[in-house]
Amino acid sequence: MGKTRRRGVVLEAAIYQAVREIIDQDGIEAVTFQKVAAAAGTSKPVIYRRWDTPFELAIAAIQDKIRQDNQGRTDELVLTGTNLREDLLQVLQRFLISVNTFGRHYLQSLLAEISHHENASLRKMIDYGAQIDIHALERVIQRAHARGESVRTDLTTDLKLLPFDWIRYNILIQADVDTARLTQLIDDILLPVYLKS
């Protein structure tokens, strides 16, 4: 009996897993379509049809891992807080899982590769992530408004991205981010900015 040909999500999962194993072992720079095809048990044309560069494929595989560990996107989180503070903490704790999944290993490999590539794939990843972050924050603000909390409706994109960028920066400089620091960020910076004075 012949080997069953994998397709769709099953094949995609095998490809992403192969990519992550290559990154874990040798870094992003070691990802090639040929290596991935061999490790995933597929052909190079299958990969060429979907991704333009190995770098773009590596980013997609990392994003897939983030979605898996986060059980979905941050902006899809079912919020259960009873006020703005609790909802913010819930979203930022979930976002921290995403950033930790990306991990220092992936981050260092990615930073090392940025200078060798066109930044279109990276820019696309950053823009996609920013839209998710903004949507997550807007959901929190809408819930607070619906509860009657005095939230601002004129928040700029920069202010919406502030907590997410703060977490990314702290991970980049290898600072510990825990619930106590997230709570301090919310109480000392976010609530004074997001609520009407």
Side-chain angles (χ1 to χ4, degrees):
M1 187 167 223
K3 190 176 178 183
T4 304
R5 189 170 177 192
R6 293 171 301 170
R7 296 180 185 277
V9 293
V10 174
L11 177 58
E12 183 178 84
I15 290 169
Y16 285 158
Q17 182 60 37
V19 171
R20 289 191 294 265
E21 288 171 4
I22 292 168
I23 294 172
D24 288 342
Q25 188 171 10
D26 301 313
I28 288 179
E29 65 278 2
V31 175
T32 66
F33 287 157
Q34 183 173 349
K35 279 185 183 178
V36 173
T42 189
S43 65
K44 284 194 298 183
V46 167
I47 297 173
Y48 282 122
R49 284 193 293 269
R50 177 93 188 262
W51 296 278
D52 292 331
T53 67
F55 186 64
E56 184 178 311
L57 173 55
I59 289 172
I62 293 167
Q63 288 176 319
D64 176 70
K65 176 70 172 155
I66 290 169
R67 279 190 299 275
Q68 283 180 32
D69 285 11
N70 229 353
Q71 297 168 349
R73 296 177 357 179
T74 305
D75 63 339
E76 297 168 341
L77 176 66
V78 176
L79 298 169
T80 59
T82 59
N83 56 44
L84 177 60
R85 184 178 190 268
E86 290 176 4
D87 278 351
L88 282 170
L89 183 59
Q90 191 177 359
V91 165
L92 296 182
Q93 286 175 322
R94 173 65 77 86
F95 180 73
L96 189 57
I97 293 170
S98 296
V99 175
N100 283 331
T101 298
F102 194 86
R104 291 185 177 97
H105 176 75
Y106 288 149
L107 182 60
Q108 289 167 354
S109 292
L110 183 62
L111 290 174
E113 279 299 290
I114 287 173
S115 61
H116 303 295
H117 294 279
E118 293 282 329
N119 283 341
S121 296
L122 184 62
R123 178 81 267 166
K124 185 177 172 184
M125 180 184 82
I126 291 169
D127 291 345
Y128 177 72
Q131 288 308 309
I132 292 172
D133 299 344
I134 289 168
H135 187 241
L137 198 283
E138 286 174 346
R139 288 180 65 232
V140 168
I141 296 296
Q142 287 167 1
R143 278 174 49 85
H145 188 266
R147 284 190 297 258
E149 294 178 76
S150 184
V151 287
R152 287 176 53 186
T153 57
D154 63 342
L155 293 173
T156 65
T157 297
D158 285 341
L159 289 177
K160 292 174 183 175
L161 290 173
L162 176 64
F164 306 103
D165 289 343
W166 180 89
I167 290 172
R168 285 187 193 96
Y169 171 76
N170 276 276
I171 296 301
L172 180 65
I173 64 168
Q174 299 185 1
D176 288 332
V177 179
D178 56 14
T179 300
R181 287 198 69 205
L182 289 178
T183 302
Q184 184 178 17
L185 169 69
I186 292 167
D187 291 343
D188 295 349
I189 299 172
L190 300 182
L191 291 180
V193 170
Y194 293 169
L195 293 172
K196 294 176 184 173
S197 43

